[in-house]
Amino acid sequence: MENIKVIVWGIGTMGTLMAKILAEKEGVELVGALDSAPDKVGRPLSEITRISGHEKINVSRDTEEVLSMDADVVLLAVSSFIGQTLEPIRKIIQSGKNVITIAEEWAYPRLTAPKESGEIDALARSRGVTVLGTGVNPGFVLDTLIIALSGTCSSVRKISAKRINDLSPFGPTVMKTQGVGCTPEEFRRGLEDGTIVGHIGFPQSIHMIASSLGIRLEKITQSVDPIISGIHRKTACADVRPGQVAGCSHRAEGWSGGEPVIILEHPQQIQPDAEGVETGDYITIEGIPDIQVAIKPEIPGGTATAALAVNMIPQVINAPAGLASMAELPVPSARLANFREFLK
């Protein structure tokens, strides 16, 4: 059997990490790399990944040329939003390839973007390929993992989950979208003009959970609040003085029967330990039986998202054609053997 052939579209932090993980695996090989950044286009991929063998792959901006290559799957890592990924996904499908994207809004878009979802599902079915949105969150910690845990319950009354993480390793773009370093007044203005967004994906996660469990939702409410630092904190990309914003606390609630039954929280800030905050992933299911899970520290977002995208390649190839979600495919697992062994 030939190796599974993969193209990575988007050679940023996540795409580069995916390329590195692929290089460690058997039965799967990277055959193409797409990006539009002038400082990357035309360079051997090895200059970015530092991986032997990647010198044979040049980063290209020519979408048609790269998508004309013989490949099975494209890993798409260019944006969080459907609006910015819809056309790339169309092109990938039309080239006859499966799609795995880490765009948060594709994790479960049927109810949040029904028109786009319907179009992509129909197009994928017509070409016999599968499209999947995945990642650590949304895609795993605050949805797929919760769904799996609920399978041990005979009844569920309420679900509460929280992901507390450290923003310190992230770059300036993430700092800006979380409001790090601004004043409380600037934070409020950022929420109004859309430059501060908090976590992307809560409606998708709540709809995925509710649909899987059969919960009829009445509404989803969200709140975004600044985390104000009481001390001086500094990272490579942020300098926060006392009284300034160190991060963002985002909360979403899915309501049923006149009360919130799915509550998801995501407080994230730089150097949380500086003020005694421990990172971690926490899930509580109130039901029969009650379930409490704590993962400390939190599952690392970058590594986990890239690993999920790579590890889901066999499931996506094996899946029926169309738009899929993590809740509908076999549970993710690490791929320690030859990737070809996991194909049906």
Side-chain angles (χ1 to χ4, degrees), residues 32-331:
L34 274 167
D35 203 284
S36 59
D39 62 330
K40 297 175 183 175
V41 172
R43 293 174 59 191
L45 184 61
S46 57
E47 293 183 3
I48 301 170
T49 63
R50 305 300 177 188
I51 299 293
S52 176
H54 284 174
E55 63 274 357
K56 301 176 183 178
I57 302 171
N58 286 331
V59 179
S60 174
R61 71 170 71 214
D62 191 331
T63 304
E64 290 187 9
E65 180 183 15
V66 175
L67 292 183
S68 69
M69 294 178 175
D70 178 21
D72 303 287
V73 180
V74 176
L75 303 182
L76 183 65
V78 296
S79 170
S80 297
F81 306 104
I82 285 177
Q84 297 173 4
T85 54
L86 186 59
E87 187 57 27
I89 290 175
R90 284 195 192 110
K91 290 181 178 180
I92 297 168
I93 294 172
Q94 289 165 347
S95 74
K97 298 171 181 60
N98 298 288
V99 185
I100 298 176
T101 176
I102 60 170
E104 290 93 331
E105 289 190 341
W106 282 108
Y108 199 84
R110 291 180 179 85
L111 299 175
T112 57
K115 180 180 177 181
E116 295 86 346
S117 298
E119 176 198 340
I120 291 303
D121 183 56
L123 184 59
R125 290 175 186 272
S126 72
R127 297 308 301 266
V129 298
T130 303
V131 178
L132 173 69
T134 192
V136 71
N137 185 40
F140 187 71
V141 175
L142 296 186
D143 39 49
T144 303
L145 181 57
I146 292 171
I147 293 166
L149 290 169
S150 75
T152 65
C153 299
S154 62
S155 66
V156 173
R157 297 186 303 276
K158 186 176 182 180
I159 294 169
S160 303
K162 180 182 291 188
R163 178 167 167 81
I164 305 172
N165 74 311
D166 186 354
L167 286 176
S168 300
F170 291 90
T173 300
V174 171
M175 298 298 176
K176 183 177 181 180
T177 62
Q178 301 302 314
V180 176
C182 68
T183 66
E185 293 75 20
E186 291 169 338
F187 187 93
R188 285 191 289 271
R189 288 198 296 269
L191 288 178
E192 293 173 358
D193 64 25
T195 56
I196 295 175
V197 298
H199 171 62
I200 302 167
F202 271 148
Q204 289 77 10
S205 291
I206 289 176
H207 281 306
M208 190 191 302
I209 295 168
S211 296
S212 297
L213 273 66
I215 297 172
R216 296 184 180 275
L217 290 177
E218 297 154 1
K219 62 180 179 180
I220 293 176
T221 58
Q222 299 187 67
S223 62
V224 183
D225 298 300
I227 299 174
I228 308 301
S229 183
I231 61 172
H232 180 215
R233 311 186 199 184
K234 188 173 183 179
T235 72
C237 296
D239 193 338
V240 176
R241 301 288 173 175
Q244 292 182 324
V245 176
C248 178
S249 183
H250 196 156
R251 177 185 174 98
E253 298 178 342
W255 291 65
S256 181
E259 61 182 10
V261 295
I262 302 173
I263 302 171
L264 305 181
E265 297 179 80
H266 195 1
Q268 43 188 337
Q269 59 187 301
I270 64 169
Q271 300 176 344
D273 58 318
E275 294 200 50
V277 176
E278 292 186 1
T279 65
D281 296 314
Y282 306 91
I283 297 170
T284 298
I285 299 177
E286 298 177 29
I288 302 175
D290 291 337
I291 295 175
Q292 290 188 328
V293 172
I295 302 172
K296 298 194 295 185
E298 86 278 15
I299 298 174
T303 302
T305 292
L308 276 163
V310 172
N311 287 329
M312 290 302 294
I313 288 173
Q315 278 102 319
V316 166
I317 293 175
N318 290 335
L323 178 62
S325 75
M326 291 293 288
E328 299 157 345
L329 297 183
V331 294

